[in-house]
Amino acid sequence: MAIITEEPDSPTPVKKQQNPLKPTSRTPQSTSPKPTKPTTTNPFHFWFYFTLSVSLITLIFMILTSLYPQDPKTWFLSLPFNLRQHYSKGRNIKVQTTPNQPQIEVFAIQEGPSKSSDHVLILHGLGCSSFAFQKVVNFLGVRGVHTVAIDLPGSGFSDKTVVVEEEYVDDGVVRRFKDMYNEIQEKGVFWGFDQLVEQGYVNYEENKIRVSKRNVVKAVDLGPEEIGKVLGQVIDTMGLSPVDLVLHDSALGLSANWISENRGLFRSVVVLDGAPSGTALPLCVLEMPVVRDVVLGFGFAFRRLLGKCCSRSVGSLEAEGHRILLKGRDGRKAVVGMGKNLNCSFDLNEWAALDGVKGLPMQVIWSDALSKEWTEEGRQVADSIPQAKFVSHSGGRWPQEHNSEEIAESIYQFVSSLPKSVKQTEEEPVPEHVQKMFDEAQSGDHHHHHHDGHDEHGHGHAHAGYMDAYGLGQGWAM
């Protein structure tokens, strides 16, 4: 019997297991994914793209809205309080530049007694308005000077657009279909059918020139000649002659020729930071498509432009008022158009030597706080006008709140030093029957002079009192 013994299994060689924790350089944290730092969204990126998107949308919206200007009523109702208050103090004057064109309304503010012997008319430069001269007007009015500041057409609250009727040659496709339809209506449907059968088309008067009329809204971009007509009508309507004229900035170039041709309307001229050519507000900024939308669309951008070119420091409310007046109702187009009409070849020395200007009392009020170059230019302007007095002020090229009284005081001192003028009144023609009565009265007085001196004295008073009502003699009216 076989005995089966069970031998223990031979030990298998144990493989040396690798210790997973052996490499000390790799910790459990290192085997896990790296921290979420690179994959986490940076909030700065989100706000950057969000701000950029909003800005682009706002810019596009502004560009689109600028293509469709607000109607005057909506625009006026959206004005801030300071502009509404300024408007409530003024009045509109209707003027006409050409006989066949509609009238234009010119906005004007005034202070001081209208019967004063001193009348001051302030003309602003392009891009500006009477809004900048409120305090100047008020200060002079308190001092007893009748002072008027107007908004030139195309600026401020004056008309900036005008509806004109113009003729044009209509040769479009729509016009041809309308002509064909009218031809068929006139000659009948059978005539049109015969034309189609015989020739394959309707033979209407295709080559006939059609002149049509349409109403077009245009910006009021007047030139120096039209501005002169406007000033003449304003002076006549408000009874300002002889007037002391204050020319601010580019108003000198706009009205210089008209001044030399109408010497009798003026007593003096004051040049307020008025360069012979150019404007304080750079009009090229208002022409560039994208730049103009940014400057006129954002208050901070427009305020920065004013601070750099026009005023040393300007308040936010004041700058916003200027921006709204310049942007609203196509004001930008009008100002740019008037800037293109400026006489770039204007020579101040030649103008000062003209007979209509020579001997006219003048004063130059100039800013000495902007730069040495600008102050030197003011000296050159004063030297070009031999009779001009030179006075400096501490503000910018546009009047500011802090120096308006300073400018007004310089104007007042100059105007009050001039000899008082007496207005020339035209005498009415004496009616024939009144002249006959006057002759009879003279013969009667001559008769009494020979017979009774006392009666002559009594009748003389009676006739003198009667005749003085017609501007004759010097009796009771004295």
Side-chain angles (χ1 to χ4, degrees):
M1 175 175 170
I3 300 172
I4 300 174
T5 59
E6 185 176 10
E7 295 180 356
D9 295 335
S10 60
T12 58
V14 179
K15 293 183 179 180
K16 192 175 182 180
Q17 296 182 355
Q18 296 181 351
N19 188 1
L21 302 179
K22 183 177 181 180
T24 57
S25 60
R26 301 182 69 182
T27 59
Q29 288 80 7
S30 63
T31 59
S32 61
K34 291 184 178 181
T36 58
K37 183 177 180 180
T39 59
T40 302
T41 304
N42 193 333
F44 174 77
H45 294 165
F46 168 77
W47 288 111
F48 171 77
Y49 289 112
F50 176 78
T51 305
L52 182 62
S53 302
V54 172
S55 301
L56 290 176
I57 294 173
T58 304
L59 182 61
I60 294 173
F61 176 77
M62 287 167 47
I63 295 174
L64 293 177
T65 53
S66 63
L67 299 177
Y68 303 95
Q70 292 178 308
D71 61 279
K73 183 177 180 180
T74 304
W75 177 78
F76 184 82
L77 293 176
S78 64
L79 295 178
F81 174 75
N82 57 346
L83 287 182
R84 289 195 187 186
Q85 188 179 29
H86 174 61
Y87 181 82
S88 65
K89 296 179 181 178
R91 56 173 289 195
N92 290 319
I93 303 172
K94 291 187 176 182
V95 299
Q96 193 163 21
T97 56
T98 54
N100 298 326
Q101 297 295 335
Q103 290 183 327
I104 299 174
E105 288 191 348
V106 174
F107 179 78
I109 58 173
Q110 63 177 336
E111 293 287 349
S114 58
K115 295 183 179 181
S116 172
S117 58
D118 301 324
H119 302 276
V120 173
L121 176 61
I122 302 176
L123 305 181
H124 63 84
L126 294 181
C128 193
S129 67
S130 63
F131 178 68
F133 291 91
Q134 296 179 89
K135 291 193 173 182
V136 176
V137 172
N138 183 65
F139 179 84
L140 291 173
V142 171
R143 300 295 290 269
V145 178
H146 183 214
T147 308
V148 178
I150 68 170
D151 289 338
L152 293 176
S155 304
F157 286 109
S158 293
D159 283 344
K160 301 178 180 179
T161 58
V162 61
V163 180
V164 298
E165 186 180 69
E166 65 176 18
E167 296 181 347
Y168 69 101
V169 178
D170 189 0
D171 57 352
V173 177
V174 176
R175 195 271 300 173
R176 294 180 181 181
F177 277 108
K178 290 172 64 177
D179 289 345
M180 184 187 302
Y181 176 74
N182 294 333
E183 195 85 8
I184 293 175
Q185 276 192 324
E186 181 181 349
K187 298 182 179 180
V189 178
F190 292 104
W191 171 85
F193 181 76
D194 293 339
Q195 292 283 313
L196 288 173
V197 172
E198 296 176 3
Q199 304 181 25
Y201 62 91
V202 178
N203 185 19
Y204 66 99
E205 299 179 4
E206 183 177 1
N207 297 326
K208 185 177 180 181
I209 299 177
R210 303 279 182 173
V211 179
S212 303
K213 294 183 179 181
R214 60 184 175 186
N215 291 331
V216 180
V217 179
K218 288 188 175 182
V220 180
D221 50 355
L222 306 182
E225 184 178 354
E226 291 83 4
I227 291 296
K229 294 179 181 179
V230 170
L231 297 181
Q233 294 176 59
V234 169
I235 292 174
D236 182 64
T237 301
M238 304 190 72
L240 302 177
S241 177
V243 67
D244 299 305
L245 202 59
V246 178
L247 304 177
H248 167 245
D249 192 41
S250 53
L252 173 61
L254 286 171
S255 59
N257 292 335
W258 181 75
I259 291 174
S260 62
E261 297 171 357
N262 296 270
R263 173 67 177 84
L265 295 178
F266 313 104
R267 188 177 67 162
S268 68
V269 172
V270 176
V271 178
L272 176 60
D273 290 290
S277 60
T279 59
L281 186 69
L283 300 185
C284 59
V285 175
L286 303 180
E287 291 187 78
M288 291 183 283
V290 178
V291 176
R292 72 191 182 197
D293 295 318
V294 173
V295 170
L296 294 179
F298 296 96
F300 71 89
F302 185 77
R303 182 180 178 183
R304 186 171 182 180
L305 178 66
L306 288 185
K308 183 178 181 181
C309 303
C310 304
S311 302
R312 293 179 57 195
S313 60
V314 58
S316 57
L317 294 178
E318 185 181 0
E320 184 65 10
H322 288 300
R323 185 186 71 86
I324 293 174
L325 291 177
L326 182 58
K327 179 184 177 182
R329 301 187 301 160
D330 283 343
R332 182 196 64 82
K333 292 182 180 179
V335 170
V336 171
M338 292 177 67
K340 294 179 180 179
N341 294 329
L342 280 174
N343 184 9
C344 299
S345 61
F346 175 68
D347 192 310
L348 188 60
N349 293 279
E350 293 181 1
W351 178 73
L354 296 175
D355 294 335
V357 181
K358 190 186 303 182
L360 182 66
M362 299 187 72
Q363 183 186 43
V364 175
I365 304 177
W366 209 265
S367 170
D368 63 353
L370 291 177
S371 63
K372 292 182 179 179
E373 293 77 12
W374 182 247
T375 304
E376 182 62 27
E377 186 169 353
R379 296 285 182 181
Q380 294 176 2
V381 170
D383 294 340
S384 301
I385 309 172
Q387 71 272 26
K389 298 179 181 179
F390 183 83
V391 180
S392 61
H393 67 88
S394 61
R397 295 180 65 175
W398 282 18
Q400 301 166 235
E401 292 185 0
H402 77 275
N403 78 317
S404 293
E405 186 171 331
E406 180 185 358
I407 294 175
E409 179 64 26
S410 298
I411 296 174
Y412 173 76
Q413 293 297 335
F414 173 69
V415 170
S416 60
S417 66
L418 299 174
K420 302 303 178 183
S421 59
V422 180
K423 292 190 176 183
Q424 300 289 334
T425 57
E426 297 182 359
E427 295 184 357
E428 291 184 18
V430 181
E432 185 178 352
H433 69 281
V434 177
Q435 183 65 41
K436 185 177 180 181
M437 293 171 60
F438 176 68
D439 295 337
E440 292 177 355
Q442 282 187 331
S443 61
D445 288 344
H446 181 71
H447 176 74
H448 286 290
H449 176 74
H450 288 286
H451 293 85
D452 191 346
H454 180 73
D455 290 342
E456 182 232 346
H457 180 73
H459 284 288
H461 277 292
H463 290 301
Y466 176 79
M467 290 181 290
D468 280 341
Y470 294 93
L472 306 173
Q474 296 179 353
W476 292 111
M478 297 299 291

